[in-house]
Amino acid sequence: MKPIVYVTRRIPDQGLALVLEHCQAEVWPEETPPPRNVLLEKVRACDGLLSLLTDKVDAELMDAAPRLRVVSNMAVGFDNIDVPAATERGILVGNTPEVLTDTTADFAFALLMAAARRIGEAIDYVRAGRWKTWGPMLLMGHDVHGATLGLIGLGRIGSGVARRAQGFNMRVLYHDVVRRQDLEQQLDITYTDIDTLLAESDFVSLHTPLTPETRHIINADALRKMKPTAVLVNTARGPLVDSQALYAALRDGVIGYAALDVTDPEPIPLDHPLLTLPNCLIVPHIASASVATRGKMAELAARNLIAGLKGELLPTHLNPAALERRRAP
Ligand code: GLV
């Protein structure tokens, strides 16, 4: 008998084929996530769950799933999962780091450049039929080369952005809870406290996980410390930024621009004030969305799921301690 698993959305075939080969799988077929009541019902009989960042996997869900042995999240971030609750219950949890690092760092840099050079506004300008001639002061932005970049969070993706910044001859500052002296020379980056980073950076890019400590790390106070021309880039998690404070700061010229791949709430409602601002560029959480990388994420998520079902350590595990308490098939 194959183990029973639920896959909360259709994922790329590299992963789905593996899941279907090893498991008796049901896949939620819609574009939007399964509603909570559906998910709670579906996990009742499941040995494994392949989840996405849009699925809340908390103690209530785990308690509704007495056979659940593994939760494999197809994302590097796992703030949607209560990992300590899973560990207590002997449920293994995995995520998909590494495979998306460069793709996400590419995209953070793309957003940084798009904001600096006002590419979104320029596209709208042309499409609105407003391009009458070459203009000596038309859509002037700010240079990326030679500017100062401040990275909040220097994990894999933050380091990847620092590496790209070298090619643009940028001065790179970083702040993290752990100082990474080992990387400072290699990446030509300087550790600073957060206030110095905010005050000196032309671009501030967020690369920290969402935790109670990092929620609203960019609030009204932090925004006031930034340069009036500064660009804020967020490819990490929406709630790192206080959206209301960001709106006021962009509207009042406290900072210059924001480029957001993630928002709070997500998706951003069409009547959200941030969408009324010309100096705010918003895209729908697609930083890791290259064909190759989404395939690798799906495959890794499938491998984590299958390993967990066999009671093995997951290739990219978040709570190996759960192995000692693992549930019998
Ligand atoms: C995407 O946001 C991820 O965490 O992989």
PDB file of all heavy atoms in Angstrom, residues 3 17 23 25 36 48-49 59 66 74 93 120 125 139 171 193 225 294 296 301 309:
ATOM      1  N   PRO A   3       1.767   5.135   0.639  1.00  0.00           N
ATOM      2  CA  PRO A   3       1.293   6.127   1.620  1.00  0.00           C
ATOM      3  C   PRO A   3       0.368   7.155   0.968  1.00  0.00           C
ATOM      4  O   PRO A   3       0.476   7.446  -0.229  1.00  0.00           O
ATOM      5  CB  PRO A   3       2.590   6.783   2.120  1.00  0.00           C
ATOM      6  CG  PRO A   3       3.632   6.444   1.119  1.00  0.00           C
ATOM      7  CD  PRO A   3       3.216   5.179   0.426  1.00  0.00           C
ATOM      8  N   ALA A  17       5.651  14.025 -10.589  1.00  0.00           N
ATOM      9  CA  ALA A  17       5.835  12.660 -11.090  1.00  0.00           C
ATOM     10  C   ALA A  17       6.418  11.772  -9.998  1.00  0.00           C
ATOM     11  O   ALA A  17       6.001  10.612  -9.824  1.00  0.00           O
ATOM     12  CB  ALA A  17       6.752  12.684 -12.317  1.00  0.00           C
ATOM     13  N   CYS A  23       3.515   7.559  -4.047  1.00  0.00           N
ATOM     14  CA  CYS A  23       2.415   7.792  -3.100  1.00  0.00           C
ATOM     15  C   CYS A  23       1.062   7.684  -3.797  1.00  0.00           C
ATOM     16  O   CYS A  23       0.949   7.833  -5.016  1.00  0.00           O
ATOM     17  CB  CYS A  23       2.487   9.200  -2.506  1.00  0.00           C
ATOM     18  SG  CYS A  23       4.099   9.698  -1.932  1.00  0.00           S
ATOM     19  N   ALA A  25      -1.640   9.919  -4.207  1.00  0.00           N
ATOM     20  CA  ALA A  25      -1.690  11.369  -3.974  1.00  0.00           C
ATOM     21  C   ALA A  25      -2.976  11.985  -4.496  1.00  0.00           C
ATOM     22  O   ALA A  25      -3.479  11.599  -5.551  1.00  0.00           O
ATOM     23  CB  ALA A  25      -0.504  12.033  -4.648  1.00  0.00           C
ATOM     24  N   ARG A  36      -9.396  26.493   4.280  1.00  0.00           N
ATOM     25  CA  ARG A  36      -8.985  25.856   5.535  1.00  0.00           C
ATOM     26  C   ARG A  36      -9.808  24.591   5.837  1.00  0.00           C
ATOM     27  O   ARG A  36      -9.253  23.558   6.204  1.00  0.00           O
ATOM     28  CB  ARG A  36      -9.160  26.884   6.662  1.00  0.00           C
ATOM     29  CG  ARG A  36      -8.800  26.386   8.034  1.00  0.00           C
ATOM     30  CD  ARG A  36      -7.325  26.330   8.230  1.00  0.00           C
ATOM     31  NE  ARG A  36      -6.986  25.872   9.573  1.00  0.00           N
ATOM     32  CZ  ARG A  36      -5.773  25.545   9.959  1.00  0.00           C
ATOM     33  NH1 ARG A  36      -4.757  25.614   9.116  1.00  0.00           N
ATOM     34  NH2 ARG A  36      -5.539  25.156  11.184  1.00  0.00           N
ATOM     35  N   GLY A  48       1.323  12.120   4.590  1.00  0.00           N
ATOM     36  CA  GLY A  48       2.241  13.208   4.239  1.00  0.00           C
ATOM     37  C   GLY A  48       1.495  14.361   3.608  1.00  0.00           C
ATOM     38  O   GLY A  48       0.425  14.187   3.016  1.00  0.00           O
ATOM     39  N   LEU A  49       2.074  15.544   3.762  1.00  0.00           N
ATOM     40  CA  LEU A  49       1.477  16.745   3.170  1.00  0.00           C
ATOM     41  C   LEU A  49       2.555  17.493   2.411  1.00  0.00           C
ATOM     42  O   LEU A  49       3.631  17.761   2.951  1.00  0.00           O
ATOM     43  CB  LEU A  49       0.923  17.639   4.299  1.00  0.00           C
ATOM     44  CG  LEU A  49       0.317  18.983   3.876  1.00  0.00           C
ATOM     45  CD1 LEU A  49      -0.972  18.772   3.074  1.00  0.00           C
ATOM     46  CD2 LEU A  49       0.015  19.838   5.121  1.00  0.00           C
ATOM     47  N   ALA A  59      -0.804  23.692  14.789  1.00  0.00           N
ATOM     48  CA  ALA A  59      -1.104  22.565  15.682  1.00  0.00           C
ATOM     49  C   ALA A  59      -2.510  21.999  15.410  1.00  0.00           C
ATOM     50  O   ALA A  59      -2.709  20.785  15.422  1.00  0.00           O
ATOM     51  CB  ALA A  59      -0.980  23.018  17.127  1.00  0.00           C
ATOM     52  N   PRO A  66      -4.032  12.475  12.390  1.00  0.00           N
ATOM     53  CA  PRO A  66      -3.349  11.576  13.339  1.00  0.00           C
ATOM     54  C   PRO A  66      -2.234  10.737  12.714  1.00  0.00           C
ATOM     55  O   PRO A  66      -1.353  10.274  13.420  1.00  0.00           O
ATOM     56  CB  PRO A  66      -4.486  10.686  13.862  1.00  0.00           C
ATOM     57  CG  PRO A  66      -5.609  10.841  12.894  1.00  0.00           C
ATOM     58  CD  PRO A  66      -5.464  12.190  12.274  1.00  0.00           C
ATOM     59  N   MET A  74       7.079  23.456  -0.198  1.00  0.00           N
ATOM     60  CA  MET A  74       7.795  23.835  -1.423  1.00  0.00           C
ATOM     61  C   MET A  74       8.095  25.338  -1.384  1.00  0.00           C
ATOM     62  O   MET A  74       7.477  26.143  -2.079  1.00  0.00           O
ATOM     63  CB  MET A  74       6.979  23.472  -2.664  1.00  0.00           C
ATOM     64  CG  MET A  74       7.784  23.588  -3.949  1.00  0.00           C
ATOM     65  SD  MET A  74       6.794  23.261  -5.415  1.00  0.00           S
ATOM     66  CE  MET A  74       7.100  24.728  -6.371  1.00  0.00           C
ATOM     67  N   VAL A  93       9.623  18.017   9.110  1.00  0.00           N
ATOM     68  CA  VAL A  93       9.324  19.166   8.252  1.00  0.00           C
ATOM     69  C   VAL A  93      10.538  19.474   7.385  1.00  0.00           C
ATOM     70  O   VAL A  93      11.682  19.461   7.862  1.00  0.00           O
ATOM     71  CB  VAL A  93       8.973  20.422   9.099  1.00  0.00           C
ATOM     72  CG1 VAL A  93       8.599  21.596   8.193  1.00  0.00           C
ATOM     73  CG2 VAL A  93       7.836  20.126  10.074  1.00  0.00           C
ATOM     74  N   GLY A 120       9.000  50.402 -14.353  1.00  0.00           N
ATOM     75  CA  GLY A 120       7.536  50.217 -14.327  1.00  0.00           C
ATOM     76  C   GLY A 120       6.808  51.456 -14.795  1.00  0.00           C
ATOM     77  O   GLY A 120       5.887  51.383 -15.621  1.00  0.00           O
ATOM     78  N   TYR A 125       4.096  54.639 -19.123  1.00  0.00           N
ATOM     79  CA  TYR A 125       4.171  55.894 -19.878  1.00  0.00           C
ATOM     80  C   TYR A 125       4.023  55.627 -21.380  1.00  0.00           C
ATOM     81  O   TYR A 125       3.252  56.283 -22.087  1.00  0.00           O
ATOM     82  CB  TYR A 125       5.528  56.531 -19.567  1.00  0.00           C
ATOM     83  CG  TYR A 125       5.785  57.874 -20.169  1.00  0.00           C
ATOM     84  CD1 TYR A 125       5.393  59.043 -19.517  1.00  0.00           C
ATOM     85  CD2 TYR A 125       6.458  57.991 -21.386  1.00  0.00           C
ATOM     86  CE1 TYR A 125       5.654  60.290 -20.068  1.00  0.00           C
ATOM     87  CE2 TYR A 125       6.727  59.226 -21.943  1.00  0.00           C
ATOM     88  CZ  TYR A 125       6.318  60.374 -21.274  1.00  0.00           C
ATOM     89  OH  TYR A 125       6.592  61.603 -21.826  1.00  0.00           O
ATOM     90  N   LEU A 139      11.739  60.981 -17.020  1.00  0.00           N
ATOM     91  CA  LEU A 139      11.853  59.760 -16.203  1.00  0.00           C
ATOM     92  C   LEU A 139      13.273  59.525 -15.682  1.00  0.00           C
ATOM     93  O   LEU A 139      13.813  58.421 -15.801  1.00  0.00           O
ATOM     94  CB  LEU A 139      11.357  58.547 -17.002  1.00  0.00           C
ATOM     95  CG  LEU A 139       9.835  58.448 -17.128  1.00  0.00           C
ATOM     96  CD1 LEU A 139       9.421  57.499 -18.239  1.00  0.00           C
ATOM     97  CD2 LEU A 139       9.192  57.985 -15.808  1.00  0.00           C
ATOM     98  N   ARG A 171      29.006  49.808  -2.960  1.00  0.00           N
ATOM     99  CA  ARG A 171      29.486  49.641  -1.587  1.00  0.00           C
ATOM    100  C   ARG A 171      28.383  48.871  -0.853  1.00  0.00           C
ATOM    101  O   ARG A 171      27.217  49.264  -0.921  1.00  0.00           O
ATOM    102  CB  ARG A 171      29.688  51.025  -0.976  1.00  0.00           C
ATOM    103  CG  ARG A 171      29.951  51.046   0.497  1.00  0.00           C
ATOM    104  CD  ARG A 171      30.120  52.510   0.945  1.00  0.00           C
ATOM    105  NE  ARG A 171      30.234  52.602   2.373  1.00  0.00           N
ATOM    106  CZ  ARG A 171      29.425  53.321   3.149  1.00  0.00           C
ATOM    107  NH1 ARG A 171      28.434  54.034   2.626  1.00  0.00           N
ATOM    108  NH2 ARG A 171      29.601  53.354   4.443  1.00  0.00           N
ATOM    109  N   ASP A 193      25.605  48.430  12.357  1.00  0.00           N
ATOM    110  CA  ASP A 193      24.346  48.309  13.087  1.00  0.00           C
ATOM    111  C   ASP A 193      23.231  48.738  12.131  1.00  0.00           C
ATOM    112  O   ASP A 193      23.482  49.350  11.079  1.00  0.00           O
ATOM    113  CB  ASP A 193      24.363  49.143  14.376  1.00  0.00           C
ATOM    114  CG  ASP A 193      24.605  50.608  14.080  1.00  0.00           C
ATOM    115  OD1 ASP A 193      23.746  51.224  13.435  1.00  0.00           O
ATOM    116  OD2 ASP A 193      25.673  51.130  14.462  1.00  0.00           O
ATOM    117  N   LYS A 225      14.685  56.892   9.233  1.00  0.00           N
ATOM    118  CA  LYS A 225      16.157  56.891   9.285  1.00  0.00           C
ATOM    119  C   LYS A 225      16.782  56.753   7.897  1.00  0.00           C
ATOM    120  O   LYS A 225      17.984  56.902   7.734  1.00  0.00           O
ATOM    121  CB  LYS A 225      16.638  55.743  10.179  1.00  0.00           C
ATOM    122  CG  LYS A 225      16.277  55.974  11.636  1.00  0.00           C
ATOM    123  CD  LYS A 225      16.637  54.796  12.505  1.00  0.00           C
ATOM    124  CE  LYS A 225      16.204  55.089  13.944  1.00  0.00           C
ATOM    125  NZ  LYS A 225      15.936  53.871  14.702  1.00  0.00           N
ATOM    126  N   ARG A 294      11.735  26.477 -10.291  1.00  0.00           N
ATOM    127  CA  ARG A 294      10.494  25.909  -9.740  1.00  0.00           C
ATOM    128  C   ARG A 294      10.476  24.389  -9.929  1.00  0.00           C
ATOM    129  O   ARG A 294       9.958  23.650  -9.091  1.00  0.00           O
ATOM    130  CB  ARG A 294       9.281  26.578 -10.373  1.00  0.00           C
ATOM    131  CG  ARG A 294       9.029  27.988  -9.827  1.00  0.00           C
ATOM    132  CD  ARG A 294       8.503  27.952  -8.396  1.00  0.00           C
ATOM    133  NE  ARG A 294       8.584  29.237  -7.739  1.00  0.00           N
ATOM    134  CZ  ARG A 294       7.654  30.200  -7.797  1.00  0.00           C
ATOM    135  NH1 ARG A 294       6.565  30.028  -8.513  1.00  0.00           N
ATOM    136  NH2 ARG A 294       7.822  31.330  -7.140  1.00  0.00           N
ATOM    137  N   LYS A 296      13.193  22.494  -9.799  1.00  0.00           N
ATOM    138  CA  LYS A 296      14.089  21.959  -8.751  1.00  0.00           C
ATOM    139  C   LYS A 296      13.430  22.017  -7.380  1.00  0.00           C
ATOM    140  O   LYS A 296      13.620  21.130  -6.552  1.00  0.00           O
ATOM    141  CB  LYS A 296      15.390  22.769  -8.719  1.00  0.00           C
ATOM    142  CG  LYS A 296      16.287  22.514  -9.909  1.00  0.00           C
ATOM    143  CD  LYS A 296      17.539  23.367  -9.804  1.00  0.00           C
ATOM    144  CE  LYS A 296      18.259  23.408 -11.144  1.00  0.00           C
ATOM    145  NZ  LYS A 296      19.224  24.496 -11.216  1.00  0.00           N
ATOM    146  N   ALA A 301      11.087  19.172  -2.915  1.00  0.00           N
ATOM    147  CA  ALA A 301       9.931  19.008  -2.013  1.00  0.00           C
ATOM    148  C   ALA A 301       9.431  17.563  -2.069  1.00  0.00           C
ATOM    149  O   ALA A 301       9.079  16.971  -1.039  1.00  0.00           O
ATOM    150  CB  ALA A 301       8.820  19.981  -2.383  1.00  0.00           C
ATOM    151  N   LEU A 309       8.279  10.005   4.594  1.00  0.00           N
ATOM    152  CA  LEU A 309       7.327   8.893   4.649  1.00  0.00           C
ATOM    153  C   LEU A 309       8.033   7.591   5.000  1.00  0.00           C
ATOM    154  O   LEU A 309       7.467   6.704   5.634  1.00  0.00           O
ATOM    155  CB  LEU A 309       6.596   8.763   3.298  1.00  0.00           C
ATOM    156  CG  LEU A 309       5.631   9.913   2.979  1.00  0.00           C
ATOM    157  CD1 LEU A 309       5.189   9.868   1.521  1.00  0.00           C
ATOM    158  CD2 LEU A 309       4.420   9.880   3.921  1.00  0.00           C
TER     159      LEU A 309
END
